[in-house]
Amino acid sequence: MTALRLFPVALALLVLGAHFLRAGQVTLVAVALATVALLFVRRPWAARALQVGLGLGALEWLRTLALLAGERRAAGVPYLRMTLILAGVALATALSLLAFRSRRVREHFRL
C-alpha cells in the first residue's frame, strides 16, 4: 500500500525528468531520476530530499509557465490551454507532497 501512496511522487518526478529531457538538460534528467531512486531509501533525509525536489519541481513548472505564456502572448498566439495544463502539472506536483502526511509513508521513511 505504501507504493500506491508514493506513486504520485514518482510520477511527478518522472514527468519533471521528461520536461528536462525535452529541454536538453541531461544533468537535470539524471538528478530527477536519482531523486526517484530515493523512494527506496528508508531514511528521514531521503524523505526531506524528495520533498525539496518536489517543491523545486513545482516552482520549475511555474517558471516554465510564466516563460512560455509570455512568449506566446508576445507572439499573439493562444496561450490559455497551455497555461491551464502547466498550472495543473504544477499543482499536481505540489499536491504529491501530501503523500508525506500519510502514516504509512512516514513509517516507510522512519519520520
Side-chain angles (χ1 to χ4, degrees), residues 7-35:
F7 180 75
V9 174
L11 185 61
L13 291 169
L14 290 173
V15 170
L16 188 63
H19 165 70
F20 290 136
L21 183 63
R22 186 177 185 284
Q25 299 171 330
V26 181
T27 304
L28 292 176
V29 173
V31 170
L33 293 177
T35 307

Side-chain angles (χ1 to χ4, degrees), residues 19-20 23 25 28 56-70 86 90:
H19 165 70
F20 290 136
Q25 299 171 330
L28 292 176
L56 291 174
L59 290 175
E60 168 61 19
W61 286 117
L62 293 175
R63 185 194 70 81
T64 302
L65 167 62
L67 179 73
L68 293 179
L86 287 177

Side-chain angles (χ1 to χ4, degrees), residues 73-86:
R73 193 176 316 132
V77 295
Y79 61 93
L80 179 62
R81 183 175 47 179
M82 183 235 19
T83 299
L84 293 174
I85 291 169
L86 287 177

